[in-house]
Amino acid sequence: MIMRVFILGILSVVMLTLMWNFYNEAIVYDPLGEIEKVEQASEDGSAKTLPSFKSAWGREISDKNLFSPARGSYVPPPPLPVAVPKAEDPKQRPVFGLRGIIRNQFGEYVALIEKDNARPVPLRKGDRLEDVLVVNLDERTATLLWNGEEIRLNLSKIRKLKR
């Protein structure tokens, strides 16, 4: 019992000390009061100076200043000269393949055309595949226009399914 009262007394003294310290340091603290005391002392003639602080802006920070107007003045180096390729022979005609013609839900013909053995692409009349224009489509043929040359693709060797 005496031990409990003793521990409770010590805790209450520590608590009162902490509360007094908090009151003095946080609640009634006047940061400008110290400056006023120094100013009054300097007017009285006693030479007391404020402590000087080292500048926080070092060379590293000033060189890498994010808000510096000189930061955006970076001028990229001129591009390296590029070798101009020689004029090639006129383009060779690509290899076209007609893999099928179907009708979509709107009744338009859609041709599956492959260029240079690439994956077939569905094209309708008026569509472009790079430099190739689909001029006409019907049930068995597709007409393409490439560099002013008309190319006809047909499915004549493929048998037609009966309906």
Side-chain angles (χ1 to χ4, degrees), residues 54-158:
K54 182 180 174 186
S55 175
W57 288 89
R59 183 163 180 82
E60 294 172 357
I61 294 176
S62 63
D63 288 346
K64 298 176 184 177
N65 186 2
L66 180 64
F67 303 105
S68 171
R71 186 173 172 93
S73 63
Y74 172 74
V75 178
L80 298 174
V82 178
V84 179
K86 295 180 181 177
E88 296 179 14
D89 298 329
K91 291 185 180 180
Q92 292 186 2
R93 180 175 154 186
V95 178
F96 294 104
L98 181 60
R99 295 293 166 232
I101 297 177
I102 59 172
R103 269 198 179 166
N104 64 7
Q105 68 268 22
F106 303 112
E108 300 173 316
Y109 288 108
V110 178
L112 296 170
I113 300 173
E114 69 178 23
K115 180 179 177 185
D116 290 328
N117 295 324
R119 186 174 177 202
V121 179
L123 298 171
R124 295 177 295 164
K125 182 178 179 180
D127 286 350
R128 282 195 171 273
L129 174 64
E130 296 172 9
D131 54 350
V132 179
L133 174 68
V134 179
V135 177
N136 194 11
L137 285 175
D138 61 17
E139 194 173 300
R140 305 287 287 172
T141 61
T143 307
L144 309 175
L145 187 63
W146 176 78
N147 286 347
E149 179 183 350
E150 189 172 294
I151 302 168
R152 290 183 57 91
L153 304 173
N154 60 29
L155 298 172
S156 61
K157 294 183 180 178
I158 300 174

Side-chain angles (χ1 to χ4, degrees), residues 20 22-31:
W20 181 256
F22 175 74
Y23 177 77
N24 284 333
E25 297 289 329
I27 297 177
V28 295
Y29 175 69
D30 184 19

